[in-house]
Every structure is written in C-alpha cells, then in structure tokens.
C-alpha cells in the first residue's frame, strides 16, 4: 500500500502525500503532555514512590525528567512506564549543570515556581523559541513572594538564574488565564509561609489542582480562585495519564474534513478545561460520538468517533479560548472547510506560544490557498468546501503548526512539502505512524 508520507534523506524536508480518499481505523492517543509533566514534578517533590503509566515520551516531557534527574531525583523510565523515587522539596540537590528545558514552556515556567522556595541555586536555559517567550508573567509574582530570580531583560527571558529561599504566600490576581502562571505560583506556594491564592480572568486547565489532590494536598477552589496552605507534604501515588485531547484534535479535524473518513480515538482526556475543541466541532455541525465515559485519577476520559462532516463557520471567543488555546491552529484548518466565515477572537495569547501562532497559522495556511486574515487577537477564516492547493510549508519549529500542516496536506490537490517536521516529536512522536495506520486500514 502506498505510504502517506515519504521521508527523503533529509528529515528537514518531508514530502506529504496528498489527496487522501479516506482515513479509517482506530488509534490510541498518546499520553497528555500537561499531565505527564506534572506527574514528574509532583512525584519528585512527594515523599515515597510515584508510578506513572502512559507517560508521554515527547521531547518536552523527557526534558522535565532530565531536569529532575540533574536535581538528584532518581527516575526510571521503561517505555511509557515511569517510577519516581520522591525526594521531597528537601531532597532536591543543586545541579552541576544548567537545566535545559528545550522547547518546553511548561517545564520552564512550572520549574521556576517549584525551585523558588528550595534553598539551592539553579540556572535554566531553553531553545531559541523559549528564549523569546515571556517569563515575567511568572517571575514577577514569584518575586512578590520573595523569590530571587534573574534573567535577561530583568527576568523576562531565559537564561534564568534562581536562588531559592524562603517565600511568603500571596493573593495573586493574574492578568492572563494561564495554567502555567497559576501552577508556577501554586507550586511555589506549597513551600511558602502562609496561604497562596491565584485568581484568573477565565478558568485555565486545572491538571495541577487535580493532581495535587491525588497526591494528598488540600486546595480550596472558589470560582476563579484557587488557594492552598504552604508546608503541605505530598505522598507518592500511581498515575495513569489519559490520552492528550490536544493531540487527538489533529485526528478529530482530519476525520471531519477528509472525505469518506471514520476514526475512533481511544482513551482521550475529557477534562472540561480542555474540551473546547469538542464544543467547537459540535457547534460547527461535526458528526462526533462520545462513548465509554469514565474517570481515572480525578481526570475524565472517553472514546471519540469522528465521521466526515458538513461544517458551518462560527464565532469563537471569550471563556472558551483557554479551553482550546492549543487547538486553534487546527481549528483554523477545520474552519477552512466549513461553509461561511469563522472568527477567532480574544486569543492574543497565541502570540506567545512556541511561535506567534497568529502569524504562523495565517502565513502557512495562506500558502495552501486558504483565505484567512490575521487580527489583533485572533484570525478570520473564510471557509469554502474545496480542496487546498499544494505548496511548500514550514512548521517554524512549532509542533502544533507542523501537525496541522500534515493534516492540511491530506486535502490538498498536489504536493505539499513540510520543512522542520521533526518539531512534531515535542508532543506526538508517533504522529506520522498513526496517520499512516489510518490510511493503511482502509
Ligand atoms: O509547554 P508549552 O511549550 O507552553 O506548550 C503549549 C503547547 O502548545 O503544547 C503552548 F505552546 O501548551 C501549554 C498551553 O498553551 C501547556 C500548558 C500547561 O501544561 O500548563 C498550558 C497552556 O499554556 P498557558 O500559557 O496558557 O498556561
């Protein structure tokens, strides 16, 4: 059977096969990236052993493991099974080496908070993309708690230096709905004097809160405010990581827009702070079934079945944005196949992701013939149910742009070449195998 993609000698440039007649079959979505990171972090600062299954073997989560190993934590990894010997906050050791967080905003921002209250000195660096992502959103509130953090432009950019010491709890009102800001402050608050609270303008993903509870920590939630008392001890536990809905999103969109498709996605995390993509698909008219709903480790999970669908353009903005922020690149592609206009607004946060995702989505989809324009806080897509054109596209080192473009190629009428496809391994190392499987099962 003909392959969906062929890799030339150079991984930098990938020829994607186009004009697909259908995607059919079933795939097990790999573990959730946000939950995988947190399982290592909380496991490391807990007392006793933590066992994690279905851990995401993406580059970002492997960075988190490597950072904690450098801090003296004993972590064993066997395929997607991880065992962490909890060191407690007091067991973290000063690292000889700089901690390299690679492309991972979550590792960088959460670890700055976690390390702010530990009496060791740490230097942290990431890749070129991380060097451009704002860190003041965490370093500023952490400094208000007493943290000693420095970095380029007064602590706004990596490399960062953290001299951990005693912290005082604060009541922080965040100007952005960001789980990374909330989690960073809560992790610092765990090791601070008194109580720490974070209030956000819209609810962001709550995996830290759910997992802290699974480790025995007490938190209070009141509307958009989360509060915890410092000095609480965590106890190691067993965690089964659900499939990542942000990864599932690529195949949900593929199933909806590629003709003659029916895709079953198993064990997908259905945490309500992440299911904006489901709401959007249903609102646009997608044929989507949700089956076998259940709860594991405080996190809801389900199996999803998506069929080729007739779609209508909609307006997306407000509270739903944090619930689908990482899915916006692939939602833009979805919208290109709907009847009528889709407006995405209130999403200025897209500008500070791995790339400026307003620019990269608009620029790359335009290359394939999509009529799309940028706005200050989002984009407008003029949907037409027609094939895309071929062309040369670039992930710009952003995994979500790379995967969105690979799905876009499925409905292009001629060759699409993707530059920088290896960035996809940040969150979905076996993405192309899964795409292949769906074609081969036809
Ligand atoms: O970890 P990183 O690089 O920030 O990853 C992204 C992604 O697309 O995978 C963002 F670019 O996801 C973030 C997400 O956008 C992961 C995350 C988390 O695990 O807490 C929260 C979101 O970011 P934020 O800034 O809204 O808190």
């Amino acid at each position: 059977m003909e392959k969906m993609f062929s890799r030339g000698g150079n991984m930098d440039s990938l020829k994607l096969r186009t004009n697909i007649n259908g995607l059919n079959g079933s795939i097990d979505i790999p573990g959730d990236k946000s939950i995988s990171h947190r399982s290592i972090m909380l496991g490391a600062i807990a007392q006793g052993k933590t066992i994690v299954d279905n851990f995401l073997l993406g580059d970002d989560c492997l960075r988190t493991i490597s950072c904690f190993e450098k801090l003296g934590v004993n972590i064993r990894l066997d395929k997607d099974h991880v065992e962490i010997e909890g060191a407690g906050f007091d067991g973290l050791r000063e690292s000889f080496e700089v901690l390299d967080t690679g492309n991972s905003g979550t590792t960088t921002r959460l670890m700055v908070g976690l390390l702010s209250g530990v009496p060791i000195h740490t230097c942290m660096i990431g890749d070129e993309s991380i060097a451009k992502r704002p860190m003041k959103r965490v370093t500023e509130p952490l400094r208000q708690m007493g943290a000693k953090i420095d970095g380029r432009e007064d602590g706004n950019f990596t490399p960062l230096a953290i001299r951990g010491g005693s912290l005082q709890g604060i009541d922080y009102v965040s100007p952005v709905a960001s789980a990374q800001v909330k989690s960073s402050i809560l992790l610092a608050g765990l090791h601070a004097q008194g109580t720490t609270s974070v209030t956000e303008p819209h609810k962001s993903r709550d995996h830290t809160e759910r997992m802290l509870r699974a480790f025995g920590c007490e938190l209070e939630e009141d509307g958009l405010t989360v509060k915890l008392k410092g000095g609480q001890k965590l106890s190691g536990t067993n965690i089964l990581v659900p499939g990542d809905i942000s990864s599932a999103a690529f195949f949900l969109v593929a199933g909806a827009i590629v003709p003659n498709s029916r895709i079953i996605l198993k064990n997908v995390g259905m945490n309500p702070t992440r299911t904006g993509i489901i709401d959007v698909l249903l609102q646009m008219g997608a044929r989507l079934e949700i089956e076998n709903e259940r709860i594991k480790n405080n996190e809801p999970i389900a199996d999803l079945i998506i069929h080729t669908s007739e779609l209508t353009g909609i307006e997306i903005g407000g509270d739903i944005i944090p619930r689908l922020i990482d899915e916006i690149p692939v939602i833009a592609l979805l919208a290109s196949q709907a009847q009528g206009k889709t407006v995405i607004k209130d999403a200025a946060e897209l500008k500070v992701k791995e790339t400026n995702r307003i620019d990269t989505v608009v620029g790359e989809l335009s290359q394939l013939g999509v009529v799309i324009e940028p706005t200050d806080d989002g984009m407008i897509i003029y949907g037409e149910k027609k094939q895309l054109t071929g062309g040369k596209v670039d992930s710009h080192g952003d995994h979500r742009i790379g995967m969105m473009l690979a799905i876009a190629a499925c409905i292009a009428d001629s060759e699409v070449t993707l530059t920088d496809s290896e960035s996809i391994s940040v969150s979905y190392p076996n993405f192309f195998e899964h795409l292949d499987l769906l074609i081969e099962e036809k």
Side-chain angles (χ1 to χ4, degrees), residues 333-398:
L333 170 64
L334 179 76
S336 77
Q337 298 304 299
Q339 209 60 57
K341 183 166 90 170
T342 292
V343 179
I344 300 174
K345 58 179 192 175
D346 306 321
E349 276 292 295
L350 288 172
K351 295 178 184 169
V352 291
K353 299 297 179 185
E354 283 83 329
T355 54
N356 175 335
R357 286 180 178 162
I358 296 180
D359 289 352
T360 46
V361 168
V362 171
E364 297 308 311
L365 280 178
S366 302
Q367 295 293 322
L368 301 179
V370 174
V371 184
I372 179 168
E373 62 190 43
T375 62
D376 263 358
D377 63 350
M379 59 196 80
I380 301 173
I381 307 106
Y382 298 90
E384 282 176 277
K385 189 111 189 98
K386 67 161 203 204
Q387 276 198 296
L388 303 184
T389 57
K392 287 194 174 142
V393 288
D394 192 341
S395 80
H396 298 271
D398 185 333

Side-chain angles (χ1 to χ4, degrees), residues 45-60:
I45 57 170
Q47 310 287 339
K49 192 188 256 190
T50 289
I51 296 179
V52 185
D53 282 296
N54 201 36
F55 181 80
L56 173 65
L57 295 166
D59 295 345
D60 274 14

Side-chain angles (χ1 to χ4, degrees), residues 33-34 38 105-106 133 178-180 326 353-354 400:
K33 177 159 81 70
S34 296
R38 287 155 170 84
T106 308
R133 295 179 67 183
S178 159
Q180 293 178 0
D326 296 339
K353 299 297 179 185
E354 283 83 329
R400 303 212 185 275

Side-chain angles (χ1 to χ4, degrees), residues 145-190:
M145 296 175 81
K148 295 186 179 58
I149 308 169
D150 211 348
R152 281 187 303 122
E153 296 193 21
D154 190 25
N156 197 22
F157 297 107
T158 56
L160 296 173
I162 307 144
R163 174 158 299 284
S166 57
L167 302 178
Q168 185 62 47
I170 52 166
D171 294 315
Y172 186 64
V173 179
S174 174
V176 281
S178 159
Q180 293 178 0
V181 171
K182 175 175 62 178
S183 304
S184 183
I185 296 167
L186 289 176
L187 290 174
L190 259 187

